[in-house]
Amino acid sequence: MLWACIALPQLALDGVLRRRADAGPLVLVAGTGHARSIVAANAAAREAGLRVGQRLSAAQALLAQFEALPYQPERVDQWHRFLAAVAYRYSAEVSLLPHAIVLEVSRSLNLFGSWPRLESLLRADLDALGFRHRISAAPTPHAAHVLAGVADGQAVLTDEQLRHALQCIPLARSRLPAVAADALPGMGIRTLGQLLALPRDGLRRRFGAELLLALDRLTGAAPAGLEAYRPPDRFDLRIELTHEVEAIGALVFPLRRMTSDLSAYLAGRDGGVQRFTLQLEHREGHTEVKVGLLAPEREAGMLFELARARLEQVQLPQPVIAMRLLARDLPAFVPAGRDLFDERPANALPIEQLRERLRARLGDRAVHQLGSTTDPRPELAQKVTAHDDGWQEPSPRPTWLFERPIPLRGPAPQILAGPERLETGWWDGGEVCRDYYVVETAQGQRGWAFCAPGERDGWMLHGWFA
Amino acid sequence: MATVMPLSNLLDARRVWRGRAEPLPAGEQPTGWAALDAVLPSGGWPAAALSEILLPLDGVGELQLVLPTLARLSQGARAVVLVAPPYLPCVAGWRQHGVDMRRIEIVSATEADVLWATEQCLRSGSCAAVLAWPRQADDRALRRLQVAADGGRALAFAFRDRRHLSNASPAALRLELEARPQARVWVRKCRGGAVPAQPVALPRALH
């Protein structure tokens, strides 16, 4: 067993910062009234002297201009779960620990290669999503968690190395029950190595079974006792904007973040998305932008481009204060196959993506195919469909068809072929009785025209033999 | 008199240049009309380039000119796209010409979007041919289509009114259709060869 631990030291702050383009001083505050204090501060704020734990009033005395946002535990939890969904891509066993995610990777190494390679993949994903992180690996999840708390990038691959690595961990960083971690240094026990060397009976009498269980979980003598994370079947992401946005252009940056989050989430589930909704929230009510695709997709750039094209057509009735991306329909994703001897250029855009791009700008029904039906009436003989039976019509048919016949003006046309009588449609009230001819006009155009049975005037033109 | 030097020596030493353009690779995209292929320098449509077809009126054989090509391309792997056709393509009629309608994509676009959609299709590289009916296309717009056709290795066809003949065009091939006194095709411009002096007759069959 090999467990990787991703420690997230700045989860609350990163969740806020990642959707901002600017980097002014910013702090998160918790508490009420005069007791409000800073729980997280970004680099610019720390440089100005703001510290975690400081009272908000003290901070205001230090720095005139900074942004203070409320610390929202439920939002932090939401990001925590989101990152677990991202990590789910690398392992089926993912669990949540406080400010950390652990995943079992020994079997994943077969697929992703050695641990350094998997580690760099994890780091690349987290960097792209904008989350600060520390990564470590150890044979047990709790040991990995402890190691990640001490230093970044530690990898302990065997039990032997683990015992050695735990020796010099100070108890303050050992994540053991607080009662023991506080009391033991007073007894001269400062490192995990010293603690592990003590007789178990004495420890149980002094600190109870809880400490022994924690130690066993750390070394792997007891099962880890973690609850496995299961990604939810829907994606729901909401971003509150820092100010009221009146122009669609200003929504593009948060939109890019949201679609790339969606893409990362889908990659974790090995799924795709076929339909999603963007809700632009106003002070009163909201505007919905629906994005529908012909087939499930998950490529970040494509999702962004399509959503953006739809968004740009929206007229905002009121300023937008928040944006929400909802995806309930997450079917399995089947990557498009390609031929080895493909005649398309190497950088070709697949036809499916081309269709999506056209539909996004021109409308859902803009791209279609025509197929024939079994109805003999020319108006109903073809419709927008994917089905085409390939039936050959023996009588001449034009290449251009008018949606409805128009009167043929000018001198009487020359008849080239015909008549072909169509007397049909009696069953649904749309009865037609026409003699169709192939005619040539005085200008040399060849047309498909009809008149009433037996007559040779009152020509109605129905198509061109172009 | 100085020593006589055989002409072949001069040619081999590349000191004499023959004023003749590079021969074009022949026969990649035959039009399906033998008489027309015979006069075109590449033996057919210029590959990965824009061909402009100028008409006096609708219904004078403009589709008949390209349908053999479309029938051939619709058997291939890449799609054929019609951008904003002026009328509905008649499925039965196209099939009589041998076109597989399952490979034909029809894009409805407003006048403002026709050129954009055409360029996207051409550039994508997943279309074998793109047919467009732009109404307001200037020299710049056509040049963009020409570049996109080159990038996406696609045949581009622009159908336009004959009055545009007097304007210069970046298209690699310009054909003008004539309906009276008989259906004929004039080659007005062809890249890589001299413009034939005589028109080519376009025999018109019903199907």
Side-chain angles (χ1 to χ4, degrees):
Chain A
M1 298 281 265
L2 182 65
W3 289 79
C5 176
I6 305 168
L8 302 158
Q10 283 199 3
L11 193 53
L13 197 59
D14 287 337
V16 174
L17 287 179
R18 64 195 296 271
R19 57 172 196 256
R20 288 166 181 256
D22 56 335
L26 182 145
V27 296
L28 298 182
V29 292
T32 49
H34 292 294
R36 279 193 291 174
S37 59
I38 296 177
V39 292
N42 73 348
R46 284 198 303 270
E47 210 163 281
L50 306 195
R51 294 281 173 269
V52 172
Q54 217 166 25
R55 287 282 171 90
L56 186 59
S57 46
Q60 275 159 345
L62 274 171
L63 189 62
Q65 286 283 329
F66 67 91
E67 225 173 322
L69 296 175
Y71 172 78
Q72 292 164 304
E74 71 280 358
R75 198 53 57 77
V76 175
D77 186 53
Q78 189 189 329
W79 287 122
H80 200 177
R81 293 188 164 274
F82 167 70
L83 289 175
V86 173
Y88 196 68
R89 174 182 187 178
Y90 295 101
S91 168
E93 273 182 74
V94 177
S95 296
L96 302 176
L97 287 175
H99 298 281
I101 294 160
V102 286
L103 54 154
E104 206 285 311
V105 293
S106 61
R107 279 166 299 218
S108 314
L109 295 182
N110 291 335
L111 179 61
F112 293 102
S114 62
W115 165 249
R117 183 167 146 63
L118 180 59
E119 184 186 355
S120 67
L121 286 173
L122 282 169
R123 284 188 197 277
D125 272 9
L126 291 162
D127 284 338
L129 292 170
F131 284 94
R132 296 263 301 263
H133 54 270
R134 290 199 297 265
I135 293 182
S136 66
T140 69
H142 293 282
H145 191 200
V146 168
L147 291 177
V150 175
D152 190 14
Q154 287 204 68
V156 175
L157 303 180
T158 63
D159 289 332
E160 191 65 32
Q161 287 176 327
L162 175 64
R163 226 165 292 134
H164 192 252
L166 290 179
Q167 289 293 323
C168 48
I169 303 270
L171 280 187
R173 301 280 187 86
S174 66
R175 301 188 198 271
L176 289 174
V179 188
D182 291 344
L184 283 165
M187 306 172 191
I189 311 291
R190 297 182 191 281
T191 65
L192 267 177
Q194 291 172 311
L195 180 59
L196 286 169
L198 291 178
R200 292 171 64 90
D201 267 358
L203 283 178
R204 182 182 291 118
R205 277 199 299 277
R206 179 68 180 80
F207 296 105
E210 200 191 343
L211 175 65
L212 286 182
L213 181 63
L215 281 176
D216 286 347
R217 283 180 171 171
L218 203 57
T219 55
L226 293 173
E227 195 181 326
Y229 166 82
R230 289 275 164 269
D233 283 335
R234 51 182 295 207
F235 181 84
D236 184 352
L237 181 64
R238 186 168 176 275
I239 287 184
E240 271 179 28
L241 303 170
T242 46
H243 48 90
E244 297 198 351
V245 169
E246 295 183 24
I248 289 287
L251 297 175
V252 169
F253 181 77
L255 179 68
R256 186 189 292 276
R257 270 290 186 208
M258 291 176 109
T259 48
S260 63
D261 286 359
L262 176 61
S263 165
Y265 174 77
L266 293 172
R269 291 180 93 242
D270 192 26
V273 63
Q274 187 144 18
R275 267 185 291 282
F276 58 92
T277 310
L278 280 175
Q279 286 184 357
L280 309 177
E281 297 179 14
H282 311 299
R283 292 230 169 270
E284 288 163 18
H286 63 259
T287 307
E288 279 206 352
V289 183
K290 286 192 189 304
V291 184
L293 295 92
L294 293 173
E297 288 291 346
R298 69 157 175 243
E299 206 261 309
M302 182 180 177
L303 293 176
F304 169 66
E305 196 191 331
L306 295 176
R308 180 184 178 169
R310 302 278 158 119
L311 190 64
E312 276 169 352
Q313 292 166 0
V314 171
Q315 297 285 328
L316 288 178
Q318 295 176 43
V320 179
I321 56 169
M323 246 171 116
R324 185 172 177 191
L325 198 162
L326 264 172
R328 289 199 182 86
D329 188 14
L330 304 173
F333 174 72
V334 183
R338 279 196 62 178
D339 253 356
L340 180 60
F341 301 103
D342 205 330
E343 59 187 70
R344 292 178 295 174
N347 53 352
L349 184 73
I351 186 81
E352 295 78 19
Q353 290 197 19
L354 173 66
R355 267 191 214 124
E356 298 292 359
R357 183 177 288 179
L358 294 172
R359 287 174 70 234
R361 171 143 162 189
L362 306 175
D364 280 342
R365 292 161 177 275
V367 186
H368 54 267
Q369 296 185 333
L370 287 176
S372 52
T373 65
T374 51
D375 201 302
R377 284 168 287 186
E379 290 91 339
L380 301 172
Q382 60 186 44
K383 65 176 182 186
V384 175
T385 168
H387 171 73
D388 190 81
D389 56 4
W391 186 73
Q392 282 286 352
E393 169 71 43
S395 314
R397 285 288 177 271
T399 44
W400 283 142
L401 190 70
F402 299 171
E403 284 192 44
R404 59 183 62 85
I406 54 168
L408 178 63
R409 301 186 197 288
Q414 185 194 348
I415 294 173
L416 300 179
E420 176 197 353
R421 179 157 301 177
L422 286 181
E423 189 166 1
T424 181
W426 44 266
W427 57 83
D428 61 3
E431 192 170 348
V432 297
C433 184
R434 300 165 178 171
D435 277 356
Y436 274 92
Y437 297 87
V438 181
V439 298
E440 185 164 313
T441 67
Q443 289 85 30
Q445 296 160 288
R446 289 210 174 165
W448 198 44
F450 66 85
C451 38
E455 292 177 25
R456 291 288 174 90
D457 56 359
W459 290 100
M460 296 294 283
L461 191 63
H462 206 162
W464 293 123
F465 285 85
Chain B
M1 196 170 163
T3 46
V4 177
M5 189 182 258
L7 187 60
S8 60
N9 282 11
L10 285 172
L11 285 173
D12 289 345
R14 308 245 170 136
R15 292 171 66 187
V16 170
W17 173 74
R18 280 184 177 172
R20 187 175 57 188
E22 193 84 352
L24 290 168
E28 275 190 15
Q29 297 285 358
T31 62
W33 299 94
L36 187 58
D37 285 346
V39 299
L40 292 178
S42 53
W45 304 113
L50 174 66
S51 302
E52 204 180 337
I53 295 170
L54 300 154
L55 331 162
L57 291 158
D58 288 329
V60 294
E62 66 272 23
L63 283 182
Q64 211 185 340
L65 188 63
V66 296
L67 276 169
T69 313
L70 300 189
R72 175 170 56 82
L73 294 176
S74 72
Q75 307 301 324
R78 298 199 289 170
V80 172
V81 183
L82 313 183
V83 182
Y87 309 101
L88 290 176
C90 178
V91 173
W94 283 54
R95 202 180 288 132
Q96 284 171 353
H97 285 272
V99 180
D100 182 353
M101 290 306 281
R102 289 168 298 187
R103 310 292 311 165
I104 307 287
E105 304 273 349
I106 301 155
V107 177
S108 346
T110 57
E111 191 50 46
D113 284 326
V114 168
L115 289 166
W116 174 83
T118 312
E119 194 186 330
Q120 292 296 323
C121 294
L122 285 170
R123 197 181 291 283
S124 75
S126 50
C127 304
V130 181
L131 285 71
W133 284 261
R135 297 239 174 77
Q136 305 142 358
D138 54 3
D139 179 59
R140 264 175 78 96
L142 291 179
R143 193 173 300 281
R144 286 187 72 103
L145 296 188
Q146 164 67 38
V147 171
D150 187 40
R153 313 299 304 161
L155 290 182
F157 294 99
F159 294 86
R160 305 174 77 202
D161 192 89
R162 192 173 58 182
R163 67 191 153 86
H164 295 292
L165 182 61
S166 54
N167 304 332
S169 162
L173 176 68
R174 296 187 97 185
L175 299 179
E176 185 195 349
L177 281 178
E178 197 179 62
R180 283 277 177 241
Q182 55 164 330
R184 294 190 297 188
V185 184
W186 289 89
V187 181
R188 294 303 188 189
K189 172 188 172 186
C190 54
R191 200 163 61 186
V195 173
Q198 293 298 316
V200 178
L202 184 68
R204 301 202 61 187
L206 294 181
H207 62 91

